[in-house]
């Protein structure tokens, strides 16, 4: 996958040395081509902003210093980086590039945050290259150390080099520099070996060359890429590491590339989980975020999206057509055609089809949240079932209870939310309203159609509805001659009236 171009015999190569390594990730650009109010590097694929992918790769080689250069949308980007720093458990230094004067200027801003007398290796990568991984960065460090290069650049040979800087080489094949698309002659534009934007620099060579950059180019910017020709001009060696997996070095400049790389990252994630023992019926319609954990023998049916923080336990089935964010699906459970966030579904429990699980939902082992059921802040005990057409909000329900169809937990009085508690082994009737705060004891029953406003003691039956009364002969008197009247007369064994025989029915 990775091929160094330095042909020195290994005896002449320096051994990998424990020099200090600093990494600088550039993320100050606006990303004009995204046409977005959101800074480019905060656009997401697989649930993570582009800059987080870049920073995690850089952190993966455990550098002594990790600097991210911010500019456009710096507050929002810095805030996100705080959470990344927490999750990685390592410091991330941020530098600010007030004006976007080019990638070379951005690196200078980054280095300004590092201690004086910088030595060792500086690894630079760009915040808009999301599939680059730590393995490739490690290979860069190894190649750089082993070759003794002053600069090593990660390159790739691509079918369509449009937009990338091209690698120029002399007759002997040695790298002479990088020419940007906008500065390239027709001949240079035809070169298909491109600059990925990942470099390993000798720290002194880099700091020296950065001071000598000029803006004499098509974009009037200080190009980091010019460091290569400067180093070469000083008689230093510049080498490449060629990456044959071109996806790893692709950058995102617009939303077409965002979706293209998002789809590729998804294919890689889905493939990885299939190799770990997950059955994915239709990989093309299953979308997984990076922060998802799947156990063996999980089955993902078509049309499933599993978003950040979701875990699915052994033997569980999700889908078809289900979206889960930050949910824990325990072993053996099934979630069918549903939408959930912040919910925990117990072992062997079942959800859906058509359930809406909102934050704070927890369903015990063997429980059921059935069809057209919405739940929120609802702790539903082991073996308890809410099978049909219900809203369960702000509730605690014990074990092995059954909630009748079309029940509403009336939790909101227009100002405050209130809690409903239902015990274990309770049987509540269909079409109940539980007007919170209210408590139904263990083993209690409620009658269908009840509006429960008072606590029900254990073992009691609560009936809270109007008594039924039947007014005999009402239809014959008030709706004579209608189809209803005819049907009633027939059922009562009476002769239909002449009038009724010619009638078309009601509504006249
Ligand atoms: C750059 C390279 C090009 C390479 C390509 C790889 C230069 C001059 N060109 O081009 O050779 O093939 O990346 O993807 O380096 N940035 C700053 N401050 C700035 C300018 C840019 O922080 O003043 C950051 C951007 O946020 C971005 C990265 O640097 O993350 C690259 O900038 P971009 O404008 O996308 O450069 P490309 O035109 O893609
Ligand atoms: Ca770019």
């Amino acid at each position: 996958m990775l091929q160094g171009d330095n042909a020195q015999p290994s005896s002449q190569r320096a051994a990998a040395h424990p020099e200090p390594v600093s990494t600088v990730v550039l993320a100050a650009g606006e990303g004009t081509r995204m046409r977005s109010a959101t800074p480019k590097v905060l656009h997401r694929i697989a649930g993570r902003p582009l800059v987080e992918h870049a920073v995690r790769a850089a952190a993966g080689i455990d550098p002594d210093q990790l600097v991210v250069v911010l500019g456009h949308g710096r507050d929002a980007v810095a805030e996100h980086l705080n959470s990344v720093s927490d999750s990685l458990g390592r410091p991330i230094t941020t530098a600010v590039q007030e004006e976007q004067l080019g990638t070379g200027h951005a690196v200078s801003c980054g280095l300004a945050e590092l201690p004086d007398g910088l030595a060792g290796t500086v690894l630079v990568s760009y915040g808009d290259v999301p599939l680059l991984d730590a393995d490739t960065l490690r290979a860069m460090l190894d190649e750089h150390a082993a070759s003794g290069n002053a600069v090593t650049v990660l390159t790739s040979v691509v079918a369509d080099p449009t937009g990338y800087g091209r690698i120029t080489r002399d007759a002997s094949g040695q790298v002479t520099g990088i020419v940007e698309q906008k500065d390239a002659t027709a001949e240079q534009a035809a070169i298909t070996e491109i600059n990925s934007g990942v470099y390993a620099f000798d720290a002194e060579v880099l700091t020296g060359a950065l001071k000598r950059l000029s803006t004499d180019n098509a974009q009037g910017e200080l190009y980091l890429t010019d460091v290569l020709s400067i180093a070469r001009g000083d008689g230093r060696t510049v080498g490449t590491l060629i990456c044959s997996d071109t996806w790893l070095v692709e950058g995102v400049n617009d939303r077409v590339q965002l979706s293209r790389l998002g789809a590729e990252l998804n294919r890689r994630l889905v493939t990885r989980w299939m190799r770990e023992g997950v059955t994915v019926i239709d990989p093309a319609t299953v979308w997984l975020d990076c922060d998802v954990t799947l156990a063996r023998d999980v089955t993902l049916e078509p049309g499933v999206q599993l978003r950040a923080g979701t875990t699915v336990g052994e033997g569980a089935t999700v889908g078809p057509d289900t979206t889960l964010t930050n949910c824990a699906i325990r072993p053996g459970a099934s979630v069918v055609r549903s939408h959930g966030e912040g919910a925990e579904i117990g072992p062997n429990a079942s959800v859906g089809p058509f359930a809406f699980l909102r934050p704070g939902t927890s369903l015990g082992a063997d429980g059921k949240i059935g069809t057209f059921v919405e739940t929120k802040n609802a702790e539903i005990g082991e073996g308890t079932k809410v099978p049909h057409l219900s809203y369960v909000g702000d509730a605690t329900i014990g074990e092995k209870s059954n909630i009748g169809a079309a029940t509403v937990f009336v939790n909101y009085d227009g100002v405050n939310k209130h809690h409903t508690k239902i015990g274990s082994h309770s049987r509540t009737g269909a079409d109940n309203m539980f007007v919170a705060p209210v408590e139904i004891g263990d083993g209690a029953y409620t009658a269908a159609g009840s509006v429960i406003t008072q606590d029900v003691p254990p073992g009691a039956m609560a009936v809270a509805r109007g008594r039924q009364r039947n007014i005999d002969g009402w239809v014959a008197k008030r709706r004579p001659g209608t189809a209803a009247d005819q049907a009633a007369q027939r059922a009562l064994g009476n002769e239909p009236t002449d009038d009724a025989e010619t009638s078309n029915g009601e509504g006249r």
Side-chain angles (χ1 to χ4, degrees):
M1 286 277 186
L2 292 158
Q3 174 68 52
D5 69 350
N6 198 299
Q8 283 177 30
S10 56
S11 60
Q12 286 175 23
R13 295 183 164 205
H17 41 99
E19 276 194 328
V21 174
S22 310
T23 52
V24 180
V25 178
L26 305 189
E30 181 179 11
T32 332
R33 288 165 277 181
M34 296 298 281
R35 298 179 181 277
S36 176
T38 303
K40 173 166 77 177
V41 295
L42 286 184
H43 282 263
R44 289 168 185 261
I45 61 174
R48 286 178 181 165
L50 299 177
V51 69
E52 181 173 346
H53 289 285
V55 165
R56 283 180 181 269
I61 61 165
D62 200 19
D64 300 287
Q65 309 274 355
L66 170 47
V67 186
V68 184
V69 181
L70 308 180
H72 274 276
R74 75 183 70 149
D75 294 340
V77 180
E79 191 184 321
H80 186 75
L81 290 178
N82 273 333
S83 70
V84 177
S85 166
D86 288 347
S87 132
L88 290 172
R90 67 153 295 146
I92 297 173
T93 306
T94 54
V96 173
Q97 184 192 26
E98 291 289 347
E99 254 187 296
Q100 279 63 64
L101 304 177
T103 46
H105 178 250
V107 171
S108 299
C109 296
L111 297 185
E113 296 298 322
L114 297 180
D116 292 340
L118 188 66
T121 302
V122 179
L123 201 61
V124 175
S125 63
Y126 292 172
D128 63 352
V129 181
L131 266 56
L132 181 77
D133 57 7
D135 288 346
T136 305
L137 289 177
R138 216 170 283 118
M140 279 290 285
L141 279 183
D142 292 346
E143 170 65 16
H144 186 70
S147 64
N149 289 336
V151 184
T152 307
V153 56
L154 184 69
T155 72
S156 194
V157 177
V158 298
D160 178 10
T162 310
Y164 290 96
R166 313 296 205 280
I167 305 295
T168 58
R169 292 178 184 266
D170 63 19
S172 69
Q174 289 294 302
V175 176
T176 51
I178 298 174
V179 181
E180 289 305 297
Q181 167 91 29
K182 287 181 177 151
D183 300 292
T185 62
E187 203 182 323
Q188 288 167 331
I191 297 170
T192 54
E193 185 182 6
I194 58 108
N195 167 29
S196 69
V198 180
Y199 323 76
F201 295 101
D202 175 86
E204 284 154 50
V205 171
L206 176 64
T207 45
L210 284 176
K211 296 188 188 112
R212 290 154 64 191
L213 295 180
S214 96
T215 54
D216 184 16
N217 54 55
Q219 303 185 77
E221 290 184 355
L222 296 165
Y223 288 166
L224 178 62
T225 45
D226 287 346
V227 170
L228 278 75
S229 52
I230 292 171
R232 181 65 206 270
D234 290 348
R236 310 298 301 259
T237 45
V238 177
T240 58
L241 182 69
I242 303 177
C243 180
S244 63
D245 184 354
T246 58
W247 288 104
L248 300 191
V249 304
E250 272 196 41
V252 172
N253 295 310
D254 61 29
R255 301 203 201 213
V256 175
Q257 290 168 319
L258 184 74
S259 78
R260 178 182 151 79
L261 289 182
E264 176 61 18
L265 179 52
N266 186 62
R267 273 189 287 278
R268 289 175 185 230
L269 289 166
V270 170
T271 301
R272 179 192 136 199
W273 286 116
M274 290 194 289
R275 299 215 188 283
E276 298 276 331
V278 171
T279 294
V280 179
I281 307 295
D282 179 16
T285 61
V286 167
W287 289 82
L288 304 178
D289 278 358
C290 293
D291 301 309
V292 160
T293 309
L294 308 176
R296 285 193 334 174
D297 292 320
V298 161
T299 299
L300 303 181
E301 298 281 350
V304 168
Q305 295 103 46
L306 300 182
R307 302 220 166 108
T310 297
T311 61
V312 184
E314 189 164 337
T317 297
V318 180
D321 301 329
T322 294
T323 301
L324 300 176
T325 304
N326 194 26
C327 286
I329 310 303
R330 302 300 179 202
S334 96
V335 181
V336 179
R337 235 177 260 284
S338 292
H339 191 96
E341 180 171 358
E344 177 179 358
I345 302 304
N348 303 313
S350 85
V351 172
F354 306 108
F356 181 23
L357 311 171
R358 293 169 54 201
T361 295
S362 88
L363 176 63
D366 305 310
K368 181 183 176 87
I369 291 173
T371 304
F372 301 118
V373 174
E374 174 180 344
T375 59
K376 184 213 71 171
N377 271 342
E379 198 184 311
I380 302 171
E382 257 184 61
T384 287
K385 296 185 173 160
V386 188
H388 332 273
L389 299 157
S390 295
Y391 172 60
V392 185
D394 299 306
T396 308
I397 309 177
E399 294 175 15
K400 299 195 169 61
S401 286
N402 191 84
I403 304 302
T407 291
V408 174
F409 285 64
V410 183
N411 58 333
Y412 189 45
D413 62 12
V415 179
N416 295 308
K417 299 279 169 72
H418 301 281
H419 195 86
T420 296
K421 187 171 176 210
I422 294 185
S424 295
H425 299 279
S426 301
R427 296 276 173 276
T428 69
D431 196 23
N432 277 193
M433 301 285 138
F434 294 110
V435 182
V438 72
E439 187 171 337
I440 315 297
D442 287 349
Y445 277 57
T446 61
S450 290
V451 177
I452 304 292
T453 54
Q454 291 165 31
D455 291 353
V456 180
M461 156 64 96
V463 186
R465 64 186 185 210
R467 244 179 208 291
Q468 179 174 336
R469 89 191 154 103
N470 299 334
I471 305 169
D472 288 335
W474 187 92
V475 172
K477 216 179 286 168
R478 296 297 187 87
R479 301 288 185 270
T482 61
D485 186 25
Q486 289 169 44
Q489 296 308 325
R490 276 195 299 274
L492 293 167
N494 297 338
E495 287 295 306
T497 62
D498 290 349
D499 191 18
E501 269 173 326
T502 57
S503 166
N504 266 337
E506 285 133 300
R508 290 187 298 167

